[in-house]
Amino acid sequence: AARPPVAGSYAVTADAVRSDESQLWRMTPGPDGFVYLEHVKTGMVLTARGKNAGTEAVTARRQAKDDSQLWKPTPVPKVRDGLKFVHKE
């Protein structure tokens, strides 16, 4: 289901199925406290494409020195165990 959490953007959600590797991601350490978000089934990493309001998240092969593939896990205030991932700009 898609719903607008912020004006001009949307989120796609799905019901979790524990045995479905297509829904699993792993955090792999990167430089300076950033991580790569790697899709368990494909080995592709989450990559930010575009700038500002036109940025979208896609999967791509991991590339050396590609800052668009680095994400910073940041706690979400008032959400127990909640994290948001902000891409390196």
Side-chain angles (χ1 to χ4, degrees), residues 21 24-28 35-41 43 45:
E21 286 188 350
L24 300 177
W25 296 82
R26 78 172 54 93
M27 287 191 299
T28 305
V35 297
Y36 295 95
L37 297 174
E38 182 179 330
H39 190 259
V40 169
K41 190 171 183 177
V45 296

Side-chain angles (χ1 to χ4, degrees), residues 3-59:
R3 56 184 157 68
V6 177
S9 66
Y10 67 94
V12 177
T13 62
D15 292 329
V17 178
R18 288 182 186 255
S19 62
D20 185 355
E21 286 188 350
S22 70
Q23 295 183 355
L24 300 177
W25 296 82
R26 78 172 54 93
M27 287 191 299
T28 305
D32 304 321
F34 286 89
V35 297
Y36 295 95
L37 297 174
E38 182 179 330
H39 190 259
V40 169
K41 190 171 183 177
T42 65
M44 305 282 261
V45 296
L46 195 62
T47 305
R49 293 287 183 237
K51 297 286 182 191
N52 304 320
T55 301
E56 63 181 348
V58 299
T59 56

